Amino acid sequence: MQPTCVYGVPGGSLNTGWKGAKVTSQHGRMAAAKAERDTAALLDPATSPTGAVVLHDLRLPNGGGANIDHIFIVGNTVHLIDSKAWRPGFLWTVGGTTRRGMERTEGIDKDLSMGRDRLMAHFATRGITGICVDTTVVVWPSNSSKKLSLWAATNKTALLVHHRNLPGLVNRWVKNAQPANREVVEALIPLLITPPRPSGYVAAGLDF
């Protein structure tokens, strides 16, 4: 049987009120969950023809209740992906500080290296070596009041990507890449937050 390439439910923990979800308002949860579902819709089709694997909505190992929105795996490369629904406008970064117009933003300059470090430690404790982990933030506008511009914005610990540019980025990830390392996939499946368990548990030879 061909292993399943898509695991988990995008935005699931936001919809179920998982205790690790930090978004509290109903509007914020709806916008964040939609952003995760929309990102998943761009990631999932890139899996089956390439052997890549994507997992949605996982616990961050030893992360104190934090979660990971998506993980996209090709070969030994693990792309940790955060989906964001941000208020639109012109975002620009100077000296590590990002503003929307002249207004300083909250959260955009957040250090996202913890996710990468915790994943690397998770793999190391399982004897999985030679893995590269990078971090990408996919940004969707939270409303249609104005244009979302990111070309002048940066984050020191992650690649900021406008959602329109995600398909091209994923194409570069999978081009000439090897299928996902199954040891890595098996190490991540138990971290999935949202039931029901995907069919990939059986396909991957796992029974938790």
Side-chain angles (χ1 to χ4, degrees):
M1 181 183 296
Q2 185 70 20
T4 296
C5 294
V6 178
Y7 300 84
V9 180
S13 57
L14 289 164
N15 292 328
T16 60
W18 179 62
K19 63 181 180 179
K22 295 183 174 61
V23 183
T24 55
S25 71
Q26 182 178 3
H27 174 75
R29 285 197 304 272
M30 291 176 61
K34 183 178 186 303
E36 293 187 33
R37 292 193 301 270
D38 289 345
T39 296
L42 298 178
L43 295 174
D44 292 354
T47 59
S48 52
T50 64
V53 168
V54 63
L55 302 96
H56 304 294
D57 202 27
L58 307 92
R59 283 186 302 107
L60 180 63
N62 301 313
N67 81 309
I68 301 169
D69 294 343
H70 323 272
I71 292 180
F72 191 89
I73 309 166
V74 285
N76 290 327
T77 301
V78 175
H79 301 283
L80 190 161
I81 303 166
D82 200 12
S83 291
K84 295 294 187 184
W86 287 345
R87 187 156 51 90
F90 177 71
L91 301 177
W92 57 284
T93 306
V94 174
T97 299
T98 301
R99 289 177 170 82
R100 180 183 292 104
M102 298 306 297
E103 171 193 4
R104 184 165 181 176
T105 59
E106 295 292 336
I108 295 176
D109 300 318
K110 181 180 178 181
D111 186 341
L112 299 172
S113 61
M114 182 180 74
R116 180 183 64 241
D117 295 343
R118 295 290 171 84
L119 280 181
M120 291 297 291
H122 181 70
F123 297 139
T125 59
R126 285 152 181 79
I128 304 173
T129 60
I131 305 302
C132 174
V133 179
D134 63 33
T135 305
T136 300
V137 176
V138 179
V139 184
W140 298 80
S142 60
N143 61 65
S144 57
S145 62
K146 60 177 69 173
K147 181 180 178 181
L148 172 66
S149 176
L150 289 178
W151 67 264
T154 59
N155 180 288
K156 291 181 180 180
T157 56
L159 176 66
L160 292 183
V161 177
H162 193 291
H163 68 90
R164 291 176 180 169
N165 297 326
L166 181 59
L169 178 63
V170 173
N171 285 338
R172 292 196 293 273
W173 287 348
V174 301
K175 185 177 181 180
N176 301 321
Q178 295 294 314
N181 183 322
R182 296 307 300 184
E183 286 187 326
V184 171
V185 177
E186 291 170 12
L188 292 173
I189 285 177
L191 300 178
L192 288 167
I193 294 170
T194 309
R197 296 174 179 176
S199 59
Y201 275 78
V202 176
L206 302 171
D207 185 16
F208 298 100

